[in-house]
Amino acid sequence: MTSGRPQYRCSVQEQWTSRTAGRPVLSSVVVGLVAAVVSFLGAWNSPAGVDEAATMSAARRSLPELWHMAHNVDGVHSTYYALMHLWFGLVPYDLALLRLPSAVVIGVGAGLLVVLARRITGSSHAAVAAGLVFAVLPRTTSAGLQGRSYAFSMMLAIALALVFVLAADRTIHRRAGAWALWLGYAVVALLGSYMFLYSALLVVAQGVTILIWLGTRRQQGAVRRAFVSWLVAAAVAGAGVVPLVLMTSGQASKQLYWIGTKLELNARLANSVLVQQNFGDSTRMAYVCGALMLVGLVTAFAVPSLRTRIVAVEIALPAVVLPIVAVIAVSVLVQPLYNSRYLTFTTPFVALLIAMGITVFRWRVVSLVAVVVGVALVAALAAPTWVQQRQALHKSGSHWAATVDYITRERAALPDVGADGVWYGPLPGHPIRTTEYVASSYPDAFAGMKDLTLVRSGASIGELWAERTPLHRLPSTVEVDRIWYVGGLTSKQPTTMRRLLEANRWHEETRKQIQGFYVITFERDPRPHGH
């Protein structure tokens, strides 16, 4: 022993053997397919959300326009936007197709998690359980249903952990090719950080893991080599992330104004971290999964036959705890940056800890039954949230689809009087935003309409959304025959817009209220005789 503390672990060589290297990949593929289907099922029915509108707005731009925008807003999402731009170069614009890559990536992540879990727990049952639990956790199914970068950050987080384990293994055992794996580690860390900047905290968490090994392993020299290798790879990745940090450092206050000016350590924050971050609104699921994680942690240290799982704890626990603590600390001391979905990349490691609690039995048949029962229990607890995520009223943009359907029907049914124009009013529930969000998400409904309040497009000014005519001013030229007002009801709209139009010889033709939306059409008054 290298210190006075008990050595709970067997040697590194004994823990990281190649006993699973020759196992078939069928379980990984099957679990991955299940995860992809679970996430994508119903994606064609679920309405668009505010964030997805931003994705659709960005994805339609050229790469130079995206580069311009990244320096002003949403720079942390610019890599994802570029991927979606390339994706929509291959497929038509469609909400379900926007979400398809997220679901596919969730499937890839679930398959990789099976590989990772099998390697660091030594149990095929724990590996399959980890992949299936990951597939049904509400945070996973939410990410897989969104046209945002969160699913990609999950998959890259799992890939990073897997490469980390492989690189450390080769370094500790002096096997050939270790340097190539550490190079791959730096590349994956860089990709993860550019996909979502907070993911860089996983590199720090894995540094903590190696420091734990330095304090507890017998093979100090071997682990020290791994630590130095990790340090070099982390430095390379960190250097690569610096340009992104510099580019986006001034954007947080502009983009995250809605979080507020202060994060308080209270019951609301605790609920966000312990419940909403992984389990939706299901407190019951949080209790059950929390208990399973506790069982997995305790038995890894207390049960001799399960002590080979300690390495899984040493990898998963820092990956869950450190990013949360770091983001909350910065949010309290500097500027609020915490939102439960921003820590989505920690969810795979939560799933791994839950799976360890499900598979504490070493008898093969009993363990298999425990996997079936445990995963079924987690899935049953997650099912109501899964259904809710796909309901029409779940998202902030839930009534957009109904409004778009109405506009599409009315445009087809109303007399063809000539050119149509659209006046984007305030977005219901978001009075400082306009219903340009809706048009971005459902472009077909607004095809051919002239944007009447447009001053400069978002692409031309490097912003997500356009610069628009002040509220009190009528656009200088209204060269259309019908105007569609689409927006919410505020103290100024649509009253101000109606007065402006009526003063310029327009009259209201139709009016429809759809939840918070008003859809009003206006036509020109007939010219007086003699003109």
Side-chain angles (χ1 to χ4, degrees):
M1 296 185 185
T2 59
S3 67
R5 73 178 64 187
Q7 292 291 324
Y8 294 109
R9 297 151 186 81
C10 52
S11 71
V12 175
Q13 178 67 41
E14 290 172 320
Q15 291 187 64
W16 283 350
T17 65
S18 59
R19 60 185 178 273
T20 60
R23 297 286 177 87
V25 297
L26 180 61
S27 58
S28 301
V29 173
V30 171
V31 169
L33 289 173
V34 169
V37 170
V38 168
S39 281
F40 191 64
L41 199 62
W44 47 89
N45 292 324
S46 180
V50 170
D51 288 343
E52 288 179 312
T55 299
M56 292 290 273
S57 173
R60 289 188 179 87
R61 305 183 188 193
S62 67
L63 293 178
E65 287 171 341
L66 280 174
W67 178 251
H68 182 201
M69 188 189 81
H71 287 77
N72 295 311
V73 66
D74 260 6
V76 293
H77 297 296
S78 56
T79 302
Y80 172 72
Y81 290 156
L83 286 176
M84 290 300 99
H85 166 80
L86 297 175
W87 170 243
F88 281 125
L90 302 174
V91 301
Y93 288 104
D94 180 80
L95 194 58
L97 290 176
L98 171 68
R99 294 164 173 169
L100 179 59
S102 293
V104 170
V105 163
I106 288 295
V108 174
L112 290 176
L113 184 59
V114 172
V115 176
L116 172 66
R118 181 184 289 122
R119 187 168 188 95
I120 61 178
T121 66
S123 166
S124 296
H125 289 167
V128 171
L132 292 176
V133 167
F134 170 71
V136 301
L137 284 178
R139 179 56 63 190
T140 303
T141 55
S142 174
L145 187 65
Q146 291 187 61
R148 298 297 282 173
S149 63
Y150 303 119
F152 288 79
S153 72
M154 279 180 162
M155 183 271 289
L156 289 169
I158 300 166
L160 184 69
L162 181 57
V163 177
F164 169 75
V165 167
L166 295 174
D169 184 22
R170 283 189 176 271
T171 303
I172 290 170
H173 299 145
R174 292 183 178 273
R175 293 173 183 164
W179 68 269
L181 284 170
W182 284 116
L183 178 60
Y185 178 83
V187 171
V188 176
L190 199 60
L191 287 174
S193 300
Y194 271 81
M195 189 59 65
F196 197 77
L197 186 55
Y198 289 15
S199 298
L201 292 169
L202 286 175
V203 177
V204 183
Q206 284 151 3
V208 170
T209 296
I210 297 190
L211 288 175
I212 293 172
W213 294 343
L214 277 172
T216 57
R217 300 292 187 199
R218 296 192 183 100
Q219 297 169 293
Q220 292 290 296
V223 178
R224 195 173 293 113
R225 286 196 305 273
F227 177 74
V228 172
S229 299
W230 167 85
L231 195 61
V232 172
V236 171
V241 173
V242 168
L244 178 65
V245 173
L246 294 176
M247 183 177 69
T248 61
S249 59
Q251 297 178 10
S253 57
K254 179 179 180 180
Q255 292 182 237
L256 303 180
Y257 64 88
W258 53 272
I259 293 181
T261 58
K262 184 178 181 181
L263 184 71
E264 295 183 357
L265 301 176
N266 53 25
R268 181 178 179 182
L269 176 61
N271 183 71
S272 180
V273 172
L274 300 176
V275 181
Q276 294 177 7
Q277 190 160 298
N278 292 293
F279 311 113
D281 293 324
S282 177
T283 304
R284 182 180 302 175
M285 186 178 187
Y287 279 129
V288 171
C289 290
L292 287 171
M293 284 190 283
L294 184 61
V295 168
L297 290 170
V298 171
T299 54
F301 290 90
V303 179
S305 63
L306 296 177
R307 284 180 184 166
T308 53
R309 293 185 174 191
I310 291 176
V311 67
V313 174
E314 293 166 336
I315 291 170
L317 200 58
V320 173
V321 175
L322 186 142
I324 297 171
V325 172
V327 172
I328 289 178
V330 172
S331 297
V332 171
L333 299 175
V334 183
Q335 177 183 350
L337 299 175
Y338 172 78
N339 183 278
S340 59
R341 67 177 180 271
Y342 294 167
L343 279 301
T344 293
F345 59 87
T346 65
T347 296
F349 306 101
V350 171
L352 175 58
L353 293 173
I354 294 170
M356 288 172 59
I358 290 173
T359 56
V360 294
F361 302 102
R362 301 299 287 176
W363 303 283
R364 185 170 183 81
V365 174
V366 176
S367 179
L368 180 60
V369 171
V371 169
V372 173
V373 173
V375 171
L377 174 61
V378 174
L381 291 169
T385 303
W386 184 91
V387 172
Q388 185 186 45
Q389 289 169 348
R390 285 148 181 78
Q391 289 179 343
L393 300 180
H394 175 64
K395 294 183 180 179
S396 57
S398 58
H399 40 304
W400 298 5
T403 303
V404 164
D405 288 343
Y406 171 78
I407 292 172
T408 302
R409 291 194 306 269
E410 287 297 297
R411 290 190 72 187
L414 286 173
D416 185 8
V417 298
D420 283 1
V422 60
W423 187 307
Y424 294 119
L427 186 67
H430 304 272
I432 67 171
R433 300 169 175 172
T434 74
T435 48
E436 184 185 355
Y437 279 73
V438 183
S440 179
S441 300
Y442 301 95
D444 290 347
F446 298 86
M449 286 188 176
K450 181 179 180 180
D451 188 343
L452 298 177
T453 59
L454 178 68
V455 176
R456 292 186 296 171
S457 69
S460 67
I461 61 177
E463 298 286 346
L464 271 170
W465 309 108
E467 178 187 347
R468 301 201 166 275
T469 304
L471 178 65
H472 60 276
R473 187 185 306 164
L474 186 70
S476 56
T477 56
V478 186
E479 298 174 352
V480 295
D481 300 289
R482 179 184 287 119
I483 294 176
W484 294 75
Y485 171 82
V486 184
L489 178 66
T490 67
S491 60
K492 295 183 178 180
Q493 290 287 41
T495 304
T496 301
M497 177 270 311
R498 184 188 300 107
R499 289 174 180 169
L500 285 171
L501 290 178
E502 289 176 348
N504 286 270
R505 299 176 45 250
W506 290 81
H507 68 275
E508 185 176 314
E509 179 188 25
T510 65
R511 171 185 288 254
K512 177 72 172 180
Q513 181 179 357
I514 305 172
Q515 297 183 47
F517 277 95
Y518 283 83
V519 181
I520 309 170
T521 62
F522 294 85
E523 282 194 345
R524 291 184 185 273
D525 290 333
R527 288 183 175 272
H529 293 292
H531 286 256

